[in-house]
Structure formats: C-alpha cells, structure tokens
C-alpha cells in the first residue's frame, strides 16, 4: 500500500487527505491545530507529532498550507518533513506560494535527494474533497511521471506548464486576475447601490451580460445580500496570492497599475476581515461618500 503524508489540513487539505484514504493509501497526517485531523483519524489516518514524523517512510509528501512562511516551516523547519523524508520520495507542494519560494524549495529538496514538483491547484474545497481539483504543475517530465500516482486521487486535470515554478506562475496570474475581478465587482456594485439602482435588476443584468465570469456570478449575489456564510476563500489568502503575483510581475513588466491597486484594495479587505470570505471586500468600499470623511 503506498504511503503518503499530508501536511496541512485546512479547508483544502482536509478534503485532499480524505481522497487518499478513499483511494486506499496509508495516510499520515500533520496539522498545526490537531483537532482538524479528528475526522480523518476516525476514517483510518494516523496523526503524526510533527511534519518530520509524518514524512518518515512516506513514498510521497503532499503539503497544503497557507503561504511561504508556513511552507518553509513544514518542509525545512527543525521538525520539518525534509529532515526525515527518504531519498527518492516525491515532494508535492500544493500550497500557493511565491515563485521564488517554489524555486528555492525545489532546489533545497532536490539537493536532499527528493523528487520535487510544484503543484498549486484551482478548485474550491468541495473539489478538493471530491477529487476534482485542477493541478497546475511545474516539474521535469520524468518527475511528473513519478508523481502521477499521487496526483490521481486529487484530480484528473493536470496542466503541465513547464519546469519547477511554472505551475506557480500560472496559479499566481490566475488568482491575480480573480482578485482584480472581485475587487472590480465590489466597486461596481457599491456604485450601483449608492446611486439607488434596483439591485435585483442589477444582478439579473450582470448575470446575462458580458462581464459575467464564474467569479462574478459566484460573488455578485453574495455581495448584494451581504451574505458571506460558508467562506471558501479568505481575504488574507486572496491578498497573499495577489501580492506574490505582483512580486513576480515586477521582475517581468515595467508597470502594473491595476495589479498594484488590487493588492492595496485586498490589503484593506484583509485588515477589515482577514479570515472571512473574500467577498467582504465590498464592505470596505460601500460606505456612502459623506460617511468616509
Ligand atoms: P486554510 O483553511 O486557511 O488552511 C491553512 C492551512 O495552513 C492550515 O492547515 C493551517 O494550520 C496551516 N498553516 C498556516 N500557517 C501555518 C504555519 N505557520 N505553520 C504551519 N501550518 C500553518 O487555507 P486553505 O483554503 O485550505 O488554503 C490552503 C492553500 O491552498 C493556500 O495556499 C491557498 O492559497 C490555496 N488554495 C485555496 C483554495 C480555496 O478555495 N480555499 C483554492 C486553491 C488553492 P491551522 O489549521 O493550524 O491554522
């Protein structure tokens, strides 16, 4: 039975770990907050005391944590997975990290004899739990082949963008463009509200108009109703992704006015409600002009 370590059991990691159990893998888990592992332990997973313990003997190690700092801790910290991972084990970084971090981590783990692929994903927590994620891979072709058996439970759609880091480049532009759409939608809706438009008519018109991307369709009714229940993606994560994208873009393009403005807008949204639904960004722009003085 192949042995996999899953590190990071947030909204996404919980579902991903469950997929390995469903597929018959032997699963070791680690999460900073231990209670999040309870349901998976009841389904047959083993909880390790550290990422290093989870990685011991694993054929593959899959990480799904918040950001660069968390990824560094779980891989390279004093109790990190790299300390015990066996040579030839497949290291799969699914967290959305910065481009430079993906490159540095890949170099470090390859130097320790691991096979490394960067594999950020698109898809919401329900897609993680049902094995329907889209996997955005950066890897040498032979390394991707080694990783495939461990990717199969997570999703069938694998987009191989190029060498290590290339999956992260795509993921960052994807989430930057999403941030721009959501921040733009919030401002458009706030203008419509303050101008006194019939918001039901506005929503119907948006839905059937050319701006109706899946992001817009998802967030518009929630923003108008100010219903931010069942958050799937937080303001802090959206801000992090957009900021990482701008750092990458700064090395490639001379000017990024829209991207920079969006990072600033999501900075405000994060200060307002970091761990709530990203759509709450509308609350940072929807006050009438006189009340902001
Ligand atoms: P989440 O629910 O906020 O979970 C974050 C995870 O990171 C938790 O396991 C958390 O541990 C861990 N973590 C944070 N800081 C840590 C640290 N310093 N040391 C160790 N562990 C740390 O986030 P999520 O929605 O699952 O997202 C996880 C990753 O997937 C992020 O990179 C995100 O950008 C990406 N992503 C998310 C979605 C989505 O729809 N949610 C979609 C695609 C990609 P605790 O449980 O102890 O807090």
């Amino acid at each position: 039975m192949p042995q996999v370590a899953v590190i990071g059991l947030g909204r996404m990691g919980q579902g991903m770990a469950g997929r390995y159990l469903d597929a018959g893998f032997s699963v070791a888990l680690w999460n900073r907050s231990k209670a999040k592992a309870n349901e998976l332990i009841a389904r047959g997973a083993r909880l390790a005391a550290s990422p290093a313990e989870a990685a011991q003997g694993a054929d593959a190690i899959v990480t799904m944590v918040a950001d660069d700092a968390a990824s560094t801790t779980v891989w390279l910290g004093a109790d990190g997975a790299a300390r015990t991972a066996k040579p030839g084990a497949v290291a799969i970084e699914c967290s959305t990290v910065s481009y430079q971090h993906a490159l540095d981590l890949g170099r470090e783990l390859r130097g320790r004899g691991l096979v490394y692929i960067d594999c950020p994903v698109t898809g919401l927590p329900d897609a993680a739990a049902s094995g329907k994620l889209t996997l955005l891979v950066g890897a040498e072709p032979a390394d991707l082949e080694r990783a495939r058996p461990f990717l199969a439970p997570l999703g069938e759609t694998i987009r191989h963008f190029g060498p290590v880091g290339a999956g992260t480049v795509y993921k960052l532009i994807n989430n930057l463009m999403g941030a721009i759409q959501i921040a733009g939608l919030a401002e458009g809706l706030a203008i419509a509200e303050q101008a006194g438009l019939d918001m039901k008519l506005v929503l119907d018109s948006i839905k059937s108009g050319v701006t109706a991307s899946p992001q817009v369709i998802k967030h518009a009714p929630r923003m108008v109703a100010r219903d931010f229940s069942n958050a799937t993606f937080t303001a802090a994560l959206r801000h992090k992704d957009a900021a990482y994208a701008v750092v990458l873009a700064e090395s490639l393009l001379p000017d990024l006015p829209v991207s920079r403005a969006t990072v600033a807008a999501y900075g405000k949204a994060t200060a307002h409600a970091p761990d709530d639904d990203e759509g709450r960004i509308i609350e940072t722009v929807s006050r009438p002009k006189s009340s902001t003085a």
Side-chain angles (χ1 to χ4, degrees):
M1 196 190 306
Q3 203 171 316
V4 67
V6 181
I7 295 171
L9 303 173
R11 290 181 179 86
M12 298 295 285
Q14 295 221 11
M16 291 161 66
R19 289 294 301 163
Y20 288 112
L21 289 170
D22 291 345
F25 287 65
S26 162
V27 180
L29 304 171
W30 184 82
N31 194 59
R32 185 177 59 177
S33 316
K34 308 224 170 328
K36 290 187 187 170
N38 289 346
E39 212 175 291
L40 293 157
I41 295 167
R43 289 171 59 190
R46 172 175 68 82
L47 182 64
S50 64
E53 192 185 305
Q56 214 153 20
D59 301 302
I61 301 145
V62 178
T63 47
M64 193 52 158
V65 292
D67 54 15
D68 288 2
S71 170
T72 301
T73 300
V74 300
W75 282 109
L76 304 174
D79 269 333
R83 199 164 65 70
T84 54
K86 64 184 182 191
V90 185
I92 303 174
E93 177 52 278
C94 289
S95 324
T96 307
V97 295
S98 68
Y99 178 62
Q100 193 58 49
H101 179 81
L103 296 186
D104 292 345
L105 184 64
R107 198 175 309 111
E108 181 68 33
L109 295 183
R110 279 198 306 264
R112 297 180 188 219
L114 305 187
V115 172
Y116 177 81
I117 76 165
D118 77 305
C119 185
V121 306
T122 53
L124 297 175
D126 59 344
S130 57
K132 296 205 167 69
L133 293 172
T134 294
L135 309 175
L136 310 169
V137 171
E140 296 308 319
D143 293 346
L144 173 56
E145 290 316 306
R146 291 277 302 279
R148 274 189 198 277
F150 304 99
L151 301 182
L154 304 180
E156 284 171 14
T157 307
I158 296 177
R159 300 198 200 285
H160 185 197
F161 284 95
V164 166
T168 293
V169 172
Y170 179 76
K171 173 65 184 174
L172 293 179
I173 64 154
N174 182 75
N175 278 28
L176 174 63
M177 292 186 293
I180 291 167
Q181 286 188 17
I182 299 164
L185 174 69
E187 291 187 12
L189 291 177
I191 294 166
E193 287 173 352
Q194 293 308 320
L197 296 194
D198 171 347
M199 294 310 290
K200 188 180 173 312
L201 183 58
V202 168
L203 282 180
D204 287 347
S205 306
I206 286 174
K207 250 193 266 170
S208 58
V210 293
T211 56
S213 71
Q215 284 288 16
V216 166
I217 297 277
K218 174 184 167 192
H219 285 287
R222 287 166 64 83
M223 284 186 186
V224 169
R226 301 296 194 271
D227 171 7
F228 303 113
S229 55
N230 303 317
T232 53
F233 200 60
T234 65
L237 290 177
R238 179 65 72 179
H239 179 238
K240 176 257 310 185
D241 290 353
Y244 286 168
V246 165
V247 170
L248 166 66
E250 279 168 346
S251 67
L252 301 168
L253 296 174
D255 198 14
L256 302 150
V258 176
S259 303
R260 281 188 208 289
T262 303
V263 172
Y266 257 103
K268 266 194 201 166
T270 300
H272 171 61
D275 299 322
D276 279 353
D277 191 272
E278 58 182 331
R280 284 191 67 186
I281 190 170
I282 193 171
E283 293 172 345
T284 66
V285 290
S286 61
R287 283 166 298 164
K289 196 156 185 249
S290 55
S291 78
T292 61

